[in-house]
């Protein structure tokens, strides 16, 4: 080959290489998965694969309103799974720490999966997230619930929607008479249906159906506790994490489906109150048809977290969330854990300035329920003698509603031979420390998910990101190994009833393990709770 011809070929090859170098890379091939409804096409990017808006039950509309979740109708071809389905019908709550990313609708039973790329052959641990919102708000679409960080760390994250408000927790004699299946707690039935979908399908995404951890915050945490003792949910998950999810019944006894009690009307009575308010009388098939024909906005009404706090008059037409129905909710977690012999491993805790309720006209009334320990309780809850009823009642209410109940669940789990890890999240973002005394309710969520950039407000500091890396790392370890303790992070001991050991995420970033500094005041709350329980018995 002549030298000049070889030189031309070399120059041509160099030109081709240069042109290719300037050409943008080809877009990644969209991942496809087959599930029991058909094929799905997700999207790949930023080191993860995401499948959004996957139907796990038929739309709960028309004749499916107030019915247990019904099977999905299979689809033909490949379904695009790149956008969230609608969040469940609700009136969004202004100021929500997790604002919805899509418009709510009654057709809402969709779930989402984040996974590492090309995870088909692996048996990866699975985390299933249940959002909070007081059983009247919430959805899977908020940006702070993005599962990418978990997927990058080798954990598949599943989130899903469940019916809230009167769509999710509702009873009426006409529904009972129709005998269409389990009654009342439709939101919990949705949660169980989503977990059943995970059991059937998660292996196709590379997940291990035998290594599923369910976690949730607030009403989501309360849901996790209810699912742990619900007969239809048994065997669907291996362990649980409960964030500010309660565990006691100090807010009052559980409402019954169809039994009116003094001062506590049944869920059916509450449903009839609502029906009368929208002009529907009777308890037969005509009433049921009329209820199911109501526009979704009419069923929703003005119900949300704001209206519940500002207008207690809504209470006669709202069941308040889960109630005792028998097949799904047969007892409170407190009742069940008092006798439970084989509890699931649990990671559980609350925040240092958590939500709580303690209604009293003055300080004397606030501490009177402590009986002979009233003076000691007052000294513990108001050590400076401020006499600030609102601030002191908030601390008492927090301990009654969240702090001590978390300790109760950890203690009962340990007493029954199970494993429990207790925490208190007190970290306050660096930009907020001069005006926020403690970590508010739900403030740990973006740290758990490592989604600090999704929050409103100042950009996260280096300390904020370090705290998020630590908290997230513990949850990854718990999902993967069943123990949150991990190398490179402060040791997280198991809970024990003698030391009341917990891991504390401190206000300014220290992470320390040791005896609970609030032990004495929580002991007083425990004694009060046990006295209430004896009175009820």
């Amino acid at each position: 080959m002549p030298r000049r011809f070889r030189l031309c070929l070399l120059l041509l090859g160099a030109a081709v290489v240069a042109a290719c170098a300037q050409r943008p890379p080809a877009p990644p091939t969209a991942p496809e998965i087959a599930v029991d409804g058909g094929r799905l096409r997700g999207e790949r990017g930023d080191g993860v694969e995401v499948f959004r808006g996957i139907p796990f039950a038929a739309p709960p509309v028309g004749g499916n309103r107030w019915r247990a979740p019904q099977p999905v109708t299979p689809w033909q071809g490949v379904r695009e799974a790149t956008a969230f389905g609608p969040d469940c019908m609700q009136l969004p709550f202004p100021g929500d720490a997790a604002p919805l990313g899509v418009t709510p609708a009654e057709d809402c039973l969709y779930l989402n999966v984040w996974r590492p790329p090309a995870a088909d052959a692996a048996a990866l641990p699975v985390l299933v997230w249940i959002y909070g919102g007081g059983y009247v708000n919430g959805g899977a679409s908020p940006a702070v619930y993005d599962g990418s960080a978990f997927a990058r760390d080798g954990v598949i994250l599943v989130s899903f929607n469940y019916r809230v408000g009167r769509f999710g927790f509702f009873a009426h004699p006409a529904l009972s008479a129709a005998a269409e299946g389990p009654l009342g707690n439709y939101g919990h039935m949705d949660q169980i249906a989503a977990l059943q979908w995970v059991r059937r399908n998660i292996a196709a995404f590379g997940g291990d159906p035998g290594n599923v951890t369910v976690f949730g915050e607030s009403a989501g945490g309360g849901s996790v506790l209810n699912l742990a003792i619900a007969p239809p949910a048994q065997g669907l998950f291996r362990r649980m994490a409960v964030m500010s999810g309660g565990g006691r019944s100090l807010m009052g006894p559980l409402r019954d489906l169809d039994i009116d009690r003094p001062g506590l009307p049944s869920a059916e009575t509450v449903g009839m109150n609502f029906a009368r308010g929208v002009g529907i009388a009777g308890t037969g098939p005509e009433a049921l048809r009329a209820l199911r024909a109501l526009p979704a906005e009419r069923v929703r009404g003005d119900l949300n977290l704001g209206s519940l706090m500002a207008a207690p008059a809504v209470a006669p037409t709202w069941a308040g969330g889960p109630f005792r129905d028998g097949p799904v909710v047969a007892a409170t977690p407190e009742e069940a854990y008092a006798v439970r012999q084989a509890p699931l491993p649990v990671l559980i805790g609350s925040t240092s300035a958590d939500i709580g309720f303690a209604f009293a006209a003055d300080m004397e009334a606030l501490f009177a329920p402590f009986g002979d320990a009233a003076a000691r309780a007052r000294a513990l809850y108001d050590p400076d003698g401020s006499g600030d009823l609102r601030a002191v009642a908030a601390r008492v209410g927090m301990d009654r509603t969240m702090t001590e109940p978390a300790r109760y669940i950890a203690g009962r789990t340990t007493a029954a031979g199970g494993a429990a890890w207790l925490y208190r999240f007190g970290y306050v973002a660096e930009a907020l420390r001069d005006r926020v005394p403690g970590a508010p309710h739900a403030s740990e969520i973006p740290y758990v998910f490592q989604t600090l950039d999704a929050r409103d407000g100042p950009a996260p500091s280096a300390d904020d990101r370090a705290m998020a890396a630590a908290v997230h790392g513990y949850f990854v370890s718990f999902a993967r190994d069943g123990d949150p303790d991990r190398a490179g992070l402060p040791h997280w001991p198991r809970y024990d009833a003698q030391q009341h050991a917990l891991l504390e995420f401190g206000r300014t970033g220290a992470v320390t393990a040791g005896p609970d500094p609030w032990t004495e005041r929580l002991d007083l709350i425990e004694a009060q709770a046990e006295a209430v329980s004896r009175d009820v018995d």
Side-chain angles (χ1 to χ4, degrees):
M1 182 182 296
R3 181 178 177 183
R4 180 179 296 176
F5 185 63
R6 290 199 304 272
L7 181 60
C8 289
L9 285 176
L10 288 171
L11 290 174
L12 178 61
V16 170
V17 170
C20 289
Q22 295 174 7
R23 187 179 303 159
T29 303
E32 291 191 9
I33 294 259
V35 296
D36 55 15
R39 290 196 66 80
L40 300 166
R41 180 181 296 117
E43 61 183 5
R44 180 182 295 129
D46 198 22
V48 301
E49 293 180 351
V50 189
F51 298 80
R52 300 183 180 89
I54 306 169
F56 67 89
V61 300
N64 285 339
R65 178 187 283 179
W66 299 313
R67 289 185 72 194
Q70 300 299 301
V72 169
T73 300
W75 57 88
Q76 301 298 314
V78 180
R79 180 188 179 99
E80 292 295 326
T82 56
F84 289 111
D87 289 313
C88 286
M89 191 63 181
Q90 62 192 274
L91 184 64
F93 177 51
D96 195 331
L100 303 183
V102 296
T103 302
E106 195 172 1
D107 175 2
C108 64
L109 298 184
Y110 300 93
L111 56 74
N112 320 288
V113 180
W114 286 260
R115 70 168 190 170
D120 303 304
L124 297 175
V126 182
L127 266 172
V128 180
W129 169 247
I130 305 181
Y131 54 79
Y135 299 110
V136 293
N137 286 121
S141 69
V144 293
Y145 301 156
D146 185 279
S148 296
F150 282 112
R152 283 192 286 268
D153 284 330
V155 176
I156 292 179
L157 189 284
V158 179
S159 67
F160 62 86
N161 293 332
Y162 63 92
R163 284 171 280 182
V164 295
R166 296 187 188 94
F167 300 94
F169 303 93
F170 183 80
H172 190 278
L175 280 164
S176 300
E180 296 173 335
L183 297 168
N185 292 300
Y186 304 104
H188 279 342
M189 296 179 211
D190 296 341
Q191 295 165 357
I192 293 167
L195 287 168
Q196 290 170 337
W197 185 97
V198 169
R199 170 59 60 91
R200 297 192 308 270
N201 293 285
I202 205 63
F205 294 84
D208 180 356
N211 190 12
V212 174
T213 300
V214 178
F215 72 132
E217 190 273 340
S218 195
S223 294
V224 172
L225 288 171
N226 284 339
L227 293 174
I229 60 176
Q234 298 309 292
L236 295 178
F237 55 102
R238 187 173 181 178
R239 62 185 73 92
M240 60 182 179
V242 180
M243 303 154 60
S244 297
R248 289 277 199 185
S249 305
L250 292 177
M251 292 302 293
L254 197 62
R255 195 187 300 274
D256 287 295
L257 172 71
D258 56 0
I259 301 173
D260 291 315
R261 302 186 185 278
L264 189 67
S266 70
E268 285 191 351
T269 296
V270 172
M272 291 181 68
N273 291 343
F274 168 75
R276 282 192 295 268
V278 294
I280 298 174
T283 60
E286 299 82 3
L288 180 54
R289 282 194 293 270
L291 283 165
R292 283 179 166 155
L294 285 172
E297 291 78 10
R298 195 86 183 274
V299 177
R300 179 203 68 192
D302 295 331
L303 185 62
N304 70 2
L305 282 173
S307 67
L308 288 178
M309 290 185 286
V314 75
T317 66
W318 159 234
F323 46 85
R324 200 185 305 268
D325 64 23
V328 178
V329 178
T332 68
E334 183 177 22
E335 293 165 343
Y337 272 79
V339 297
R340 190 172 178 83
Q341 297 301 307
L344 296 173
V346 61
L347 185 158
I348 190 166
S350 56
T351 66
S352 63
D354 218 321
I355 195 171
F357 306 96
F359 304 106
D362 52 38
M363 295 287 271
E364 285 69 27
L366 178 64
F367 291 108
F370 289 93
D372 293 342
R376 184 57 186 155
R378 185 164 183 165
L380 289 168
Y381 281 103
D382 188 19
D384 301 327
S386 69
D388 184 338
L389 178 62
R390 182 174 181 180
V392 176
R395 287 191 285 273
V396 173
M398 169 183 72
D399 283 357
R400 284 180 179 162
T401 308
M402 296 297 178
T403 320
E404 193 279 335
R407 192 183 79 165
Y408 170 78
I409 295 296
R412 292 305 308 167
T413 298
T414 302
W421 293 265
L422 183 65
Y423 76 86
R424 182 168 304 128
F425 184 84
Y427 184 76
V428 176
E430 192 170 2
L432 301 176
R433 286 179 201 156
D434 61 344
R435 58 185 187 276
V436 177
H441 186 68
S443 61
E444 79 272 41
I445 293 174
Y447 294 86
V448 172
F449 280 83
Q450 272 197 316
T451 51
L452 296 179
D453 293 305
R455 302 177 307 177
D456 291 335
S461 70
D463 285 353
D464 297 345
R465 294 191 188 280
M467 178 57 74
V471 177
H472 175 79
Y474 286 121
F475 274 74
V476 168
S477 290
F478 186 63
R480 185 185 60 216
D481 306 322
D483 186 333
D485 204 30
R486 66 181 294 168
L489 291 174
H491 172 56
W492 190 338
R494 285 191 183 190
Y495 178 81
D496 72 90
Q498 286 71 43
Q499 295 294 318
H500 296 297
L502 85 166
L503 191 73
E504 189 163 10
F505 300 96
R507 175 182 171 81
T508 59
V511 181
T512 56
D516 188 351
W518 293 358
T519 292
E520 188 177 359
R521 76 190 214 192
L522 297 185
D523 285 348
L524 295 180
I525 296 289
E526 179 183 10
Q528 185 186 36
E530 296 300 331
V532 170
S533 179
R534 287 193 298 271
D535 290 344
V536 171
D537 292 341

